[in-house]
Amino acid sequence: MRAIWKGSVSFGLVNVPVKLYSATESHDVSFRQVHAKDGGRIKYQRTCSIDGEEVAYADIAKGYETEDGEMVILTDDDMADLPVTSSREIAVEKFVPSDQIDPMLLEKSYYLEPEKTGAKPYALLRQALLDADRMAVVTVALRQRTTIAVLRVKPGEGGGVIVLQTMMWPDEIRTPDFNVESGEVKDSEVKMANMLVETLAGDFDVSDFEDDYAEAVQALVKAKIEGGEIKRTPTSTKSSGEVVDLLAALQKSVEAAKSARGESSSDDEKAEEKPKKKAAKKTTKKAAKKKAS
């Protein structure tokens, strides 16, 4: 992994120099839009909805649409006046009970690694969070914008690692505009529901779940490549040794090996082939299958 940010965690008079790493990566399968006849990629032009003319990238500005449909154009000078920050500090505001943090507020996760000089205060903060069973609510500037986040400990070897999880602002959580009618629930139905819960009770193990859809797509693409079902386009007329990179491009979208580095999708990343053929289901719980049978 490559550090995407360097700074320090400050709580009280203690300062912990750290590095920040993306803790997650998306494995969603992505497809390109192509011409079904010859496999050519579909291109989109930037055109103005009013005069229909193509607009050069240099002439594109940011616009904010009001509730009544009016468009407010913001210039580069306007954007320069907005509050931004380049602070390299993760400031602990308070330590709160873990159960007070609504999971809906949590967004992206990052690992915090201490610099060599911060190993001891890092371990101190980690142990304090564990002993108190609390999370640290912090403010941090990422991509020049200040956001709120929490620090928590992910258990593991060596005492675990501190994870920073950014949070959504309260007004970004939508309130449901419907009411759930519970209806009349009989005691016998509640008892049966409780029995079902006990039957399916167990500890969470992430290995019980797998992305069958992505593997099925890989197998499908591999089968088509082996069967010669490939559209030759000007961008893919390469030697047979590089044709396999077409599959590697799909594999890259699944593994998103470069997403943490902010690189776009390409056809030049190598990946291992997975010939397993499975039903195209997004997620499958192995344990539930066994009990259902």
Side-chain angles (χ1 to χ4, degrees), residues 77-144:
D77 290 339
D78 294 329
M79 299 300 294
D81 292 335
L82 294 177
V84 296
T85 179
S86 58
S87 171
R88 290 288 172 174
E89 181 183 54
I90 301 173
V92 175
E93 305 296 337
K94 61 176 62 177
F95 294 95
V96 303
S98 300
D99 58 7
Q100 289 185 2
I101 303 297
D102 187 341
M104 288 187 68
L105 289 169
L106 300 178
E107 203 169 16
K108 190 167 177 57
S109 301
Y110 301 89
Y111 289 132
L112 288 183
E113 178 192 25
E115 299 278 10
K116 290 183 179 180
T117 57
K120 186 173 181 178
Y122 182 96
L124 175 66
L125 174 60
R126 180 180 59 193
Q127 193 60 46
L129 289 171
L130 287 173
D131 291 346
D133 190 23
R134 288 176 177 261
M135 293 184 181
V137 177
V138 304
T139 52
V140 57
L142 297 175
R143 299 178 183 87
Q144 296 187 315

Side-chain angles (χ1 to χ4, degrees), residues 226-276:
E226 293 176 346
E229 297 183 53
I230 300 176
K231 296 292 185 181
R232 306 296 295 178
T233 66
T235 58
S236 65
T237 52
K238 300 177 181 179
S239 66
S240 58
E242 292 187 13
V243 170
V244 181
D245 284 347
L246 186 63
L247 175 60
L250 180 61
Q251 178 74 19
K252 177 235 164 248
S253 68
V254 176
E255 296 186 349
K258 292 185 178 181
S259 64
R261 299 196 292 268
E263 298 181 10
S264 60
S265 180
S266 63
D267 291 343
D268 60 2
E269 182 181 352
K270 300 200 171 175
E272 56 180 278
E273 300 174 358
K274 296 183 178 179
K276 292 164 57 177

Side-chain angles (χ1 to χ4, degrees), residues 34-49:
V34 298
H35 188 188
K37 178 181 178 181
D38 54 24
R41 296 180 183 177
I42 304 300
K43 294 183 178 180
Y44 296 92
Q45 294 179 323
R46 297 180 292 270
T47 57
C48 177
S49 61

